[in-house]
Amino acid sequence: MREVAMRYNRTARLLHWGTAFIVLLIIALGIWIAQAPPEDEALKLRLYNIHESFGITILLVTLFRLFWRWRHPPPPVTPPLPGWMRKVATANHSAFYVLLIVQPVVGLMATNAWGFPLTAFGLVPIPSPIGRNEALAPTLSAIHDTIGLTLAALVAVHAGAALWHHFVRRDNTLRRMTG
């Protein structure tokens, strides 16, 4: 009989913490871009390329994470969660996965709609799904900004919940993802 794992496997942990790092990096880059002086266009274009390149990376990593999670179910929380808590955690994780897929796609479409091509990390040209469309560009940018703020809020809630589980509830939620 197979023993039940008490924590996520190494690949799942690497994907989780790698995603967390890249998402925080992308958020920081987004803030930096917004604060960069308008006259320093060369800096802004470099920052945009890095931001967008990591966005494409997040899209690919998230798709792989979904595949990995499908093949490797999460270890149980000990002690088990009440039903409502399990539903909230599932909703949070589902929202993460959806937004981590939708956000880069919307960002790429916004970039293209503003008339900028994307070459990921200066190496891999990414095809334009919609082409230049200055009428649509502001709407796509606003959607991208809103999703970004929503993701930042989800990150804060997720991290706070993990700490609450560890220090208040004293279950293995956080320990399953560390080590």
Side-chain angles (χ1 to χ4, degrees), residues 3-166:
E3 188 176 315
V4 175
M6 292 312 291
R7 65 183 190 161
Y8 287 91
N9 64 41
R10 185 179 314 247
T11 301
R13 292 191 318 267
L14 178 65
L15 290 168
H16 174 272
W17 293 110
T19 299
F21 175 77
I22 295 171
V23 166
L24 292 174
L25 176 65
I26 288 173
I27 290 170
L29 285 166
I31 293 168
W32 191 4
I33 290 166
Q35 301 303 315
E39 63 274 4
D40 198 347
E41 190 171 325
L43 172 64
K44 284 187 105 155
L45 289 174
R46 280 194 305 275
L47 292 174
Y48 269 115
N49 183 266
I50 295 167
H51 177 87
E52 293 159 354
S53 297
F54 276 113
I56 296 298
T57 302
I58 281 292
L59 173 62
L60 298 174
V61 167
T62 301
L63 292 172
F64 183 72
R65 281 185 74 180
L66 284 169
F67 170 78
W68 191 262
R69 187 168 177 133
W70 172 61
R71 302 289 296 152
H72 302 87
V77 175
T78 307
L81 299 175
W84 71 268
M85 210 178 281
R86 208 172 37 257
K87 287 177 185 172
V88 170
T90 298
N92 183 273
H93 286 99
S94 298
F96 263 133
Y97 284 119
V98 167
L99 294 180
L100 289 174
I101 291 168
V102 171
Q103 178 72 330
V105 171
V106 172
L108 175 62
M109 289 171 39
T111 295
N112 294 153
W114 285 113
F116 295 101
L118 174 59
T119 302
F121 299 106
L123 301 170
V124 181
I126 306 297
S128 173
I130 61 171
R132 188 178 187 106
N133 184 336
E134 290 187 19
L136 183 59
T139 301
L140 290 170
S141 292
I143 293 168
H144 186 72
D145 291 348
T146 301
I147 294 171
L149 292 172
T150 304
L151 273 169
L154 283 175
V155 166
V157 168
H158 184 72
L163 293 172
W164 181 83
H165 277 276
H166 188 73

